[in-house]
């Protein structure tokens, strides 16, 4: 799986030299062939969010010695909980693809937090909103105050 590790050695080396924690963003791309020997790019390059691919991405992060792993939510809370339970370092969620609604994005993040994610790194699901401050406050309410997505959106 060399194609998935490109750049990882350099990243790990830089962190060690300056004594800073290492975070890796693991984004499995494409679909693996049945024998897991090659990627299928027939539909173009795309990030894959299946539980199997997210678990593999987390494993690659563990094996490269990072301190924090950022991955997308696989859409299955139980599978994500199992992935996180087997990870010796904190897992944070990537914000993922732009969701049609803020509540939808927050529901995905809340499910990841219930599964054991230690936080989230969100970009487009905030930047893509008309009211950035409202979206950021809603995320903070779910992440830090434990509100439900609907409560967070109503109170932000």
């Amino acid at each position: 799986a060399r194609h998935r590790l490109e750049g990882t050695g350099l990243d790990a080396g830089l962190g060690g030299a300056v004594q800073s924690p290492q975070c890796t963003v693991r984004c499995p791309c494409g679909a693996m062939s049945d024998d897991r020997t090659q990627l299928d790019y027939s539909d173009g390059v795309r990030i894959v969010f299946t539980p199997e691919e997210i678990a593999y991405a987390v494993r690659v992060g563990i094996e490269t010695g990072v301190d924090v792993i950022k991955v997308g939510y696989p859409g299955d809370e139980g599978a994500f909980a199992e992935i996180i339970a087997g990870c010796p370092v904190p897992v944070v969620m990537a914000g993922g693809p732009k969701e049609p609604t803020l509540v939808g994005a927050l529901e995905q993040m809340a499910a990841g937090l219930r599964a054991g994610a230690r936080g989230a790194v969100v970009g487009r699901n905030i930047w893509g909103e008309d009211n950035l401050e409202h979206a950021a406050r809603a995320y903070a309410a779910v992440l830090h105050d434990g509100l439900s997505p609907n409560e967070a959106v109503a109170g932000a």
Side-chain angles (χ1 to χ4, degrees):
R2 183 182 175 114
H3 59 279
R4 294 184 185 215
L5 297 175
E6 290 176 7
T8 306
L10 177 60
D11 295 342
L14 288 174
V18 295
Q19 300 296 309
S20 66
Q22 287 299 291
C23 178
T24 186
V25 179
R26 306 300 336 156
C27 299
C29 296
M32 290 298 289
S33 61
D34 289 339
D35 64 0
R36 298 192 63 79
T37 60
Q38 63 185 25
L39 285 171
D40 173 8
Y41 292 113
S42 59
D43 290 335
V45 177
R46 66 193 186 292
I47 298 174
V48 181
F49 294 98
T50 64
E52 297 80 16
E53 292 298 327
I54 295 299
Y56 182 79
V58 169
R59 189 183 112 208
V60 170
I62 294 166
E63 290 178 359
T64 56
V66 298
D67 301 303
V68 178
I69 299 172
K70 174 186 165 186
V71 292
Y73 178 65
D76 180 328
E77 191 173 327
F80 201 40
E82 189 175 321
I83 292 165
I84 291 170
C87 185
V89 298
V91 173
V92 296
M93 286 182 50
K98 176 68 175 97
E99 288 290 318
T101 67
L102 179 57
V103 169
L106 292 169
E107 285 173 346
Q108 210 175 64
M109 188 192 63
L113 293 171
R114 286 191 304 270
R118 301 284 284 280
V121 180
V122 182
R124 71 183 61 88
N125 280 305
I126 292 177
W127 303 325
E129 291 293 317
D130 291 332
N131 185 334
L132 302 179
E133 184 177 344
H134 178 261
R137 288 183 189 279
Y139 268 96
V142 172
L143 275 164
H144 300 293
D145 302 331
L147 295 183
S148 74
N150 286 318
E151 293 169 328
V153 169

